Structure formats: structure tokens, C-alpha cells
Amino acid sequence: MTETPSLIVRYVARRAVPFIQLYALYVLGHGEDGPGGGFQGGVIFASSFVLMGLVYGWGRGREDCPERVADVIAPAGCLLYAGIGAVCLLLGGAFLQYEAFVGVDADHHAKHHAHHFGLIGIELGVMLTVTASMVTLFFEMARPDDEEVADGVAEEVDAEGEDADA
Amino acid sequence: MEVLILAVLVGLAIAAVRVRDLLTATAILGAYSLMMALLWCTMNALDVGFTEAAVGAGISTVLMLAAIGRIGRREGGPSRMPLLRLPLLSMRQRVERAEELEEGQGRAGAWGAVLVCALVGGLLLYGTADMPRVGRQDSPANRKDDPATPANEASISQRYLDESPHDVGPNNVVTSVLGDYRGYDTMGETCVIFTAALCVLMLLRQAMPRTGGRRRRDGDA
């Protein structure tokens, strides 16, 4: 991670990131009809940040997903999941009984919609937590030591100069 | 096909253990995970295979690479970075002490390890002898007269396959089970992931107080 990779690697990595993230969202949304879901989508989404960190160096990669943001998103995903369960409780159902959204007397069609939205909601919660946790795990483990932080600063300067060129 | 994949798996596992270079071992483990993903796919467990490919071959390989960047790529050799942080230093010292201890004990320790491996492996093999073959009709999950199933009802797995489109909706039964029938378990799993990240944060971020101010500025930027 200390030496900067070649121009080709950097170019491809940067262009690949939006496609990786789009694919992660597809995996999240398509989990009901095919393989996939929040966990897989979250891991793929996190891998885009890891790619940036690997190619552009620690400091530049961390800028895309600052610690403060990741630290808030990880528990927020858990809370979203549990919150949906709690809302079901408040609406008179059991914990995570999504049918409570439309009431137990609703027709079959409405109940299906309730299940649908409940599932999407909890999958989104899972994805948020997994993404933030994986990003945190990678960047904390790859955190450079002091001497390398100095290298990282130089790299950051390089990266900024390159941004200006681009 | 499965036999071929299993043979490659065994070969990769042996290679991963024998190689002294941790970087090579990590690459081999990544290939191992990819083979496992293929194996799940041959069993029609696409969700599991997908997860294995993304987590096992993808993220955990990268995480191991990051860890190797900290501890050096030589197994038991001198570290690439002589000055490590306090918790890592103590961990390193512990490893060294264990190695010294092992050298002192010599062959006895190695034979003990072989004995433990043989014992545990034998127990596992003994346990799998009772498992039903994959997809057998009379396995407990597929049997109609299973004690867990009420009389005159389909088997457990058939019940989920039949009723889940009506009960829950999604075409993917795995999603129905994970998110709806067993939603509480999935919530626990999510919290486990979060807890893992939290533990790494507590261990590694607080160990470096001097970079704290710098990092905060990064967060603001």
C-alpha cells in the first residue's frame, strides 16, 4: 500500500466503484426473488470502499467513508432492524410480525405488501450495519503505523494533485 | 463434479498449512473459499454460495492481508515492523514465548498436536457417519412421520416450500425464512457483525492515542 499503483489500476478501480455499488443495491433489492439480500449486498458495497483504500492508499480511501459516518451507520442499521420490530409491537402485533402494519383483519393482498416492506426494511438495516462494519474492520486493521502515516500524507497530497489534473 | 471440487479443496487445505509464507497462505485460502462457493452451488444452495464467495473469498481475504501488513508475512520469522503498538507487542511476545516453550518441549509437543488432531478428526468423521445423505427422502427434514411434524401434514421442508409464498410472499424461500419466519435470529446476526466491528474498534483505535487528533480532522474533512 505504500507505493502508488499504475495509472491503469487507478483508472479501472475508480471507474469500477459505481458499478460495484450499483450491483450491491441490485443484490439488496433482488434478494426476494433470487439469491442475495442485505448481508451479501452490504459486503459488496463495503468492497467498493476497500478497493479505493487498496488502490489510492489508506488516507484517500478513508475519506470516502469517514470514521464518523461509519460509526453512526453501523448501530443505525441494527436500530432500524430492531425499530421495525418495535413498531410491529406498538401496532399490536408480535415483535417483527410485519402483518401488524396493516392490521390482522386486512386482506391477503395487503398482508403481502406488509411482509414485503418489512423484509425490505430489515434487509436495508442489515446492509447498513454490514457495510459500515466491514469498512471499519478493514480500515482499522490496515491503519498504518506512524512512519507510514507520513507516507500516507504524501500519498494524499499526490492524490489531490491528481484530482486537480483530472 | 463434486468429487473433483472436494479433491481440489483437500489439496488447497494441505498447501495452505504447509506454506510458510503467510501471503501465499492467504491467497490459497481465498481459492479455498471460492471452491467452497462452487461446492455450495452444486448443492443448489445459491444463497450460501453467494455469501461464501463475497465474504470468504472477498472480504476476509482482504482483512487477512491487512492483518499480515501488521504482523509481517513470515510465519514465526522476524516482524517486518520492529516497533509495534502495545497490545500487539504483548501479543507478539506471547507468541514468541509460546514458540520458545514449544522448542523446549520439542517432539513431545508436536506428537501431542498430532494426537489431538487425530482425535478431533476421528470424532467428526464418527459424527458424520450418522448424517443422512444430501437430498435423501427419508432424512429427518424430509420425512413425513417426523415427531416435529403434526400428523397428516407435509414434512418440515415441504411445509416451508408450500406455504411460504402464501404466508410471506417472496419467491426466494431463503429470504422468507431469514427475514420473516426467523427474523429474530437474523437480528441477532446483524448485532454480532456490529459487535465484531465494535471490538476491533476498541482494540485497535484506542491503542493509538497519538493519531487521535489527526483522525478527527480527517473525519471533519
Side-chain angles (χ1 to χ4, degrees), chain B residues 12-128:
Chain B
L12 284 173
I14 292 173
V17 174
R18 289 196 62 90
V19 158
R20 294 288 286 179
D21 186 1
L22 289 179
L23 203 61
T24 317
T26 306
I28 293 173
L29 282 180
Y32 183 93
S33 280
L34 208 60
M35 279 291 143
M36 279 306 288
L38 282 180
L39 194 63
W40 296 126
C41 288
T42 62
M43 294 180 183
N44 289 338
L46 287 184
D47 277 273
V48 186
F50 196 1
T51 314
E52 177 78 42
V55 180
I59 285 284
S60 50
T61 306
V62 174
L63 286 182
M64 274 196 263
L65 287 180
I68 286 174
R70 277 180 174 276
I71 62 173
R73 61 187 283 187
R74 286 278 146 198
E75 189 180 329
S79 172
R80 193 167 61 89
M81 281 174 270
L83 268 175
L84 285 170
R85 295 293 166 190
L86 195 68
L88 297 168
L89 187 71
S90 62
M91 210 183 295
R92 175 94 214 146
Q93 279 175 336
R94 247 173 281 163
V95 170
E96 271 164 10
R97 204 160 300 155
E99 276 165 4
E100 281 165 22
L101 214 68
E102 204 172 276
E103 275 167 25
Q105 287 176 344
R107 295 175 69 88
W111 281 113
V114 169
L115 191 72
V116 169
C117 284
L119 247 164
V120 175
L123 273 176
L124 286 175
L125 281 177
Y126 177 73
T128 51

Side-chain angles (χ1 to χ4, degrees), chain A residues 6-162:
Chain A
S6 79
L7 177 72
I8 297 172
V9 173
R10 278 180 292 163
Y11 185 87
V12 171
R14 176 174 283 182
R15 294 303 179 274
V17 160
F19 291 102
I20 295 174
Q21 295 183 343
L22 189 66
Y23 180 61
L25 291 175
Y26 160 77
V27 168
L28 167 76
H30 210 245
E32 296 197 6
D33 287 324
F39 192 85
Q40 292 94 328
V43 171
I44 295 171
F45 206 88
S47 72
S48 66
F49 293 113
V50 170
L51 181 68
M52 285 302 277
L54 282 177
V55 173
Y56 283 90
W58 196 88
R60 175 69 182 79
R62 191 82 251 205
E63 272 174 34
D64 287 337
C65 188
E67 273 167 32
R68 227 189 236 177
V69 177
D71 289 356
V72 171
I73 286 179
C78 281
L79 283 178
L80 176 63
Y81 199 132
I84 288 174
V87 168
C88 291
L89 268 184
L90 289 177
L91 290 174
F95 191 67
L96 288 173
Q97 188 189 11
Y98 310 127
E99 286 168 18
F101 287 133
V102 290
V104 277
D105 306 325
D107 67 338
H108 193 67
H109 194 66
K111 279 184 180 176
H112 262 225
H113 275 292
H115 278 288
H116 185 75
F117 282 111
L119 276 175
I120 286 284
I122 63 153
E123 295 276 15
L124 189 66
V126 172
M127 182 174 182
L128 291 176
T129 296
V130 170
T131 304
S133 297
M134 292 295 165
V135 168
T136 306
L137 281 175
F138 172 72
F139 280 102
E140 285 306 323
M141 283 193 175
R143 178 189 293 283
D145 276 359
D146 270 357
E147 313 100 278
E148 284 184 273
V149 166
D151 292 350
V153 170
E155 257 177 36
E156 274 178 57
V157 172
D158 285 350
E160 277 161 20
E162 185 188 279

